[in-house]
Amino acid sequence: SSVAFDEWVIIKRQRLQQKVMEALHLLAAYYASVDEIPKALGYAWRQVELDPLDERASRQLMGLLADNDQRSQALIQFERLRVMLAEELGVAPGAGTGDVRGGLQKTRNKWIGRGCGWPVVGAHTQHPQMVKAQAVDLVQAERDQLSLALAVL
């Protein structure tokens, strides 16, 4: 039925978005692990653009901003997240996100971004082109499945 198909499409889109977010997260973590902070920042910003309410993405971005001597930008990002969570969901940021903010406010030392709660395990052992290729393959496979299902209709 059409309702069942619509539900299936919604679930597929959500899974695809989760995979894209995970790929971006791993790419940002990889580039942070090899001290290519500007590249890592690009992937972290993209995550926040795709899902501005994702606290893990914002924590990663805040840590990377701080790594790049942009502590004030990191604090601004926290405030944006706090306002959006309050307005759209009626909640406050979680304790982990608050801990990142507290660390940014307390110290002027370089923030160790790899301690902000994003995984580096596995990603640091692969070449960035390999990580990118795997992420693209994952997303393309999901898109192909969705396109095929839509063509059947």
Side-chain angles (χ1 to χ4, degrees):
S1 82
S2 178
V3 173
F5 177 76
D6 291 343
E7 290 175 1
W8 178 83
V9 168
I10 290 169
I11 290 168
K12 278 299 205 182
R13 282 185 184 150
Q14 289 172 341
R15 286 185 187 152
L16 179 59
Q17 182 173 358
Q18 289 171 347
K19 289 179 180 186
V20 167
M21 292 293 285
E22 186 62 25
L24 291 169
H25 193 77
L26 289 171
L27 285 165
Y30 172 79
Y31 283 112
S33 75
V34 295
D35 293 323
E36 293 191 39
I37 302 303
K39 285 184 179 180
L41 275 167
Y43 290 112
W45 274 115
R46 185 67 182 133
Q47 287 177 80
V48 172
E49 290 169 1
L50 290 173
D51 188 354
L53 299 175
D54 185 327
E55 288 191 60
R56 183 176 85 152
S58 284
R59 282 193 306 268
Q60 187 178 44
L61 176 59
M62 289 187 297
L64 289 167
L65 287 166
D67 278 352
N68 203 35
D69 296 322
Q70 298 178 47
R71 287 177 62 246
S72 60
Q73 275 300 114
L75 291 168
I76 289 169
Q77 177 57 33
F78 175 85
E79 188 59 21
R80 282 186 199 133
L81 175 66
R82 186 193 66 73
V83 168
M84 280 191 279
L85 287 171
E87 289 177 354
E88 294 191 30
L89 303 177
V91 299
T97 306
D99 291 347
V100 172
R101 178 182 180 251
L104 290 168
Q105 288 180 319
K106 289 180 185 174
T107 181
R108 292 202 178 272
N109 296 334
K110 185 173 182 182
W111 181 266
I112 305 302
R114 291 182 254 332
C116 284
W118 59 82
V120 177
V121 177
H124 69 281
T125 61
Q126 296 181 5
H127 189 275
Q129 295 301 329
M130 193 65 155
V131 174
K132 282 183 187 177
Q134 290 170 351
V136 168
D137 288 346
L138 187 69
V139 171
Q140 188 60 48
E142 289 289 325
R143 281 189 185 157
D144 291 346
Q145 286 180 358
L146 189 56
S147 294
L148 180 61
L150 291 172
V152 169
L153 291 178

